[in-house]
């Protein structure tokens, strides 16, 4: 499974790296794309590389991911593919960018003894929405994430109560194509309003109901909310375990749950996922 929470940290703020990695997030995403002014890119790459190389000395359990910029992919990837890297977020994901990234990773992973890195492609423009089926079949793509601010901007779509259904439809397309390609559940978009945690909790629940199982954050305060919402409650865990116990006791025969409903393959998959999330 992917990390539940992925906390963005600007890659030109190296003093924040270790603090973020020692915090509550499952993963820290050192951001080499939008968060870094062009003039600071080279210095930011060096900071990320030095931090990744220092990880054996950093006492933390957080995964370290990097968001790379497709307009400077060679330089970004060359700098960050190190033994300490856990995964890559590809901004403005496209087939051309995935192909270029795949070639770079195949070479650098072999040269540096790095285990095959997961790649999460950010869906951030209209072209990516129209290419979801092709993107989902790419051999280096692990799953999608949604960069919703950029996506809505590219579509010239305002976020209002009147457009809420359209936004949900865009999210569902990402979930649909990930599921159809048997990819892990996609990563949900974050909220830039990091002070309103009540709304953030409510929107996280909505995103989980839509089929997302991870979420990005831009502030550490959002991370506990993500974990709380994504964790099944005691009742859900007990129900899932009961379903599996009944299924196993039936030895492949037909059986029903505590409410008399047929336990089929879909119910088993849902129960296993609930226990895995727990």
């Amino acid at each position: 499974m992917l990390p539940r929470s992925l906390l963005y940290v600007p890659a030109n703020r190296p003093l924040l790296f270790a603090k973020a990695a020692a915090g509550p997030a499952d993963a820290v995403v050192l951001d080499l794309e939008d968060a870094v002014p062009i003039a600071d890119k080279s210095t930011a790459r060096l900071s990320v590389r030095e931090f990744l190389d220092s990880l054996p000395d950093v006492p933390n359990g957080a995964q370290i991911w990097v968001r790379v910029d497709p307009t400077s992919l060679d330089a970004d990837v060359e700098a960050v593919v190190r033994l300490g890297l856990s995964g890559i977020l590809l901004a403005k994901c496209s087939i051309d960018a995935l192909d270029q990234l795949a070639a770079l990773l195949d070479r650098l992973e072999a040269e540096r003894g790095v285990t095959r890195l997961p790649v999460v492609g950010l869906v951030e423009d209209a072209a990516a929405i129209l290419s979801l089926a092709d993107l989902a079949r790419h051999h280096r793509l692990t799953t999608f994430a949604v960069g919703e601010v950029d996506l809505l901007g590219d579509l010239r779509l305002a976020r209002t109560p009147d457009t809420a259904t359209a936004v949900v439809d865009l999210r569902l397309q990402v979930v649909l194509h990930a599921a159809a390609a048997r990819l892990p559940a996609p990563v949900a978009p974050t909220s830039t309003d990091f002070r309103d945690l009540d709304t953030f909790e409510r929107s996280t629940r909505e995103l989980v109901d839509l089929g997302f199982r991870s979420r990005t954050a831009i502030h550490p305060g959002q991370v506990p909310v993500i974990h709380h919402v994504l964790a099944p409650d005691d009742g859900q865990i007990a129900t899932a375990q009961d379903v599996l116990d009944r299924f196993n006791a039936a030895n492949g025969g037909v059986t029903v749950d505590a409410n008399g409903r047929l336990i089929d393959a879909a119910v088993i998959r849902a129960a296993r996922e609930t226990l895995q999330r727990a």
Side-chain angles (χ1 to χ4, degrees), residues 8-277:
Y8 281 116
V9 176
N12 60 341
R13 302 280 303 278
L15 294 179
L16 297 179
F17 294 177
K19 181 179 180 181
D26 288 346
V28 171
V29 182
L30 306 181
D31 187 4
L32 282 169
E33 198 223 5
D34 286 349
V36 180
I38 293 175
D40 295 342
K41 294 274 189 179
S42 295
T43 302
R45 291 186 196 105
L46 178 60
S47 295
V48 172
R49 187 182 73 190
E50 291 176 345
F51 179 70
L52 288 169
D53 286 343
S54 75
L55 279 178
D57 301 321
V58 178
N60 70 85
Q63 297 182 15
I64 306 299
W65 290 56
V66 175
R67 177 160 74 167
V68 295
D69 188 338
T71 65
S72 56
L73 203 55
D74 284 26
D76 285 0
V77 177
E78 181 73 34
V80 305
V81 175
R82 333 284 295 177
L83 289 174
L85 185 65
S86 300
I88 287 179
L89 267 73
L90 174 60
K92 297 176 177 62
C93 188
S94 68
I95 292 296
D96 287 346
L98 271 175
D99 285 344
Q100 183 183 354
L101 177 59
L104 287 165
L105 290 177
D106 289 347
R107 175 175 62 82
L108 292 170
E109 287 167 345
E111 290 176 359
R112 299 176 183 180
V114 174
T115 303
R116 184 180 176 92
L117 293 164
V119 174
V120 173
L122 277 156
V123 177
E124 298 187 276
D125 55 27
I129 290 289
L130 295 177
S131 303
L132 284 171
D134 292 333
L135 292 169
R137 288 193 294 266
H138 197 283
H139 70 283
R140 282 305 309 228
L141 187 80
T142 301
T143 194
F144 297 111
V146 182
E148 203 160 79
V149 173
D150 285 342
L151 176 59
L152 298 187
D154 190 57
L155 295 171
R156 297 182 288 276
L157 180 61
R159 193 191 300 273
T160 70
D162 291 336
T163 63
T165 301
V167 173
V168 169
D169 180 65
L170 291 169
R171 294 170 174 175
L172 280 175
Q173 288 192 53
V174 176
V175 173
L176 171 66
H177 283 88
R182 298 292 185 264
L183 302 179
V187 180
T190 193
S191 169
T192 55
D193 187 1
F194 58 85
R195 294 180 179 85
D196 187 353
L197 294 181
D198 289 338
T199 298
F200 187 75
E201 179 173 349
R202 184 166 59 252
S203 66
T204 303
R205 292 190 186 281
E206 293 169 355
L207 288 160
V208 170
D209 288 346
L210 287 174
F212 293 89
R213 292 293 182 268
S214 307
R215 194 170 193 189
T216 50
I218 63 167
H219 189 277
Q222 294 173 319
V223 171
V225 177
I226 295 172
H227 292 178
H228 172 69
V229 173
L230 282 168
D233 61 33
D234 291 344
Q236 292 170 318
I237 294 170
T239 297
Q241 187 61 61
D242 181 64
V243 164
L244 291 182
D245 290 344
R246 289 169 181 264
F247 174 74
N248 292 331
N251 291 319
V254 176
T255 189
V256 295
D257 67 11
N259 296 312
R261 293 173 295 196
L262 179 68
I263 296 177
D264 60 11
V267 174
I268 293 299
R269 283 197 304 272
R272 286 173 174 160
E273 192 219 25
T274 296
L275 294 179
Q276 188 177 24
R277 286 167 54 203

